[in-house]
Amino acid sequence: PERCATTSVLRVAGKLSDPLRGAGWRPALRDDLEEVAQRAGLRPDGSGRVACPFGYADPGSAVRGLLSTGLFDAAVAATDREQVDKELTEALHPHQRPDGTVWMPNVFRYLIARVR
C-alpha cells in the first residue's frame, strides 16, 4: 500500500461499504500473495515488483474506470451511485494534474507459483 497512490482512492470502497465494520476492500499485506497461493495448492517460486501507473484523461474517466473494477459494487449497494461518484472524485483530487489528467503511480508485487 505504501507504494501505491491508488490505495487512498480504493479506501473509499471500504469506507462506504460498511463504515462500522470496515468491510470491503483493504490493502494487501506483505504475505497475502504467498498465503493465497499456498491455500490454492501452489508453491511460491519467486516474486518481484512492477510499476503500474493508473492514468486517466480526466476525473470522470477515472471514476468510470475505477467503478468498472467491481471493487465499489458493495459501496454503491450500501449508499448509492451518486455518493460513490462524489467521494471518488474527492479522493482523486490530489492526483489530478494541472492539465486535468489523473495520474496515480503504483508499484505492485507479483508472485510466481508452481503446481506442487
Side-chain angles (χ1 to χ4, degrees), residues 1 11 14 19 21-22 32 37-38 42 45-46 49 53 57 60 67-68 80 88 90-91 97 103-104 108 110 115:
R11 282 196 175 108
R21 290 193 333 227
D32 282 355
Q38 288 174 352
L42 302 172
D45 192 34
R49 298 184 190 286
L67 288 173
S68 74
D80 59 50
L88 270 175
E90 289 173 8
R97 293 175 162 184
W103 186 257
M104 295 178 283
F108 295 119
Y110 66 85
V115 177

Side-chain angles (χ1 to χ4, degrees), residues 1 24 32 40 52 55 63 68 71-72 92 97-98 104 108 116:
D32 282 355
C52 185
V63 168
S68 74
L71 292 172
F72 296 88
L92 289 165
R97 293 175 162 184
M104 295 178 283
F108 295 119
R116 293 181 189 244

Side-chain angles (χ1 to χ4, degrees), residues 57-75:
D58 54 55
S61 297
V63 168
R64 287 189 304 279
L66 290 164
L67 288 173
S68 74
T69 66
L71 292 172
F72 296 88
D73 292 352

Side-chain angles (χ1 to χ4, degrees), residues 1-105:
E2 67 277 358
R3 291 186 176 193
C4 293
T6 309
T7 297
S8 62
V9 176
L10 295 176
R11 282 196 175 108
V12 170
K15 180 180 106 177
L16 293 176
S17 300
D18 190 347
L20 297 177
R21 290 193 333 227
W25 181 88
R26 71 157 178 84
L29 301 174
R30 169 70 174 89
D31 296 326
D32 282 355
L33 288 174
E34 286 81 356
E35 290 174 17
V36 169
Q38 288 174 352
R39 284 196 312 260
L42 302 172
R43 178 180 45 85
D45 192 34
S47 65
R49 298 184 190 286
V50 63
C52 185
F54 291 6
Y56 300 94
D58 54 55
S61 297
V63 168
R64 287 189 304 279
L66 290 164
L67 288 173
S68 74
T69 66
L71 292 172
F72 296 88
D73 292 352
V76 171
T79 58
D80 59 50
R81 173 69 186 265
E82 188 176 312
Q83 181 68 29
V84 174
D85 285 2
K86 176 184 167 291
E87 299 240 4
L88 270 175
T89 301
E90 289 173 8
L92 289 165
H93 185 72
H95 306 289
Q96 191 170 355
R97 293 175 162 184
D99 66 358
T101 60
V102 175
W103 186 257
M104 295 178 283

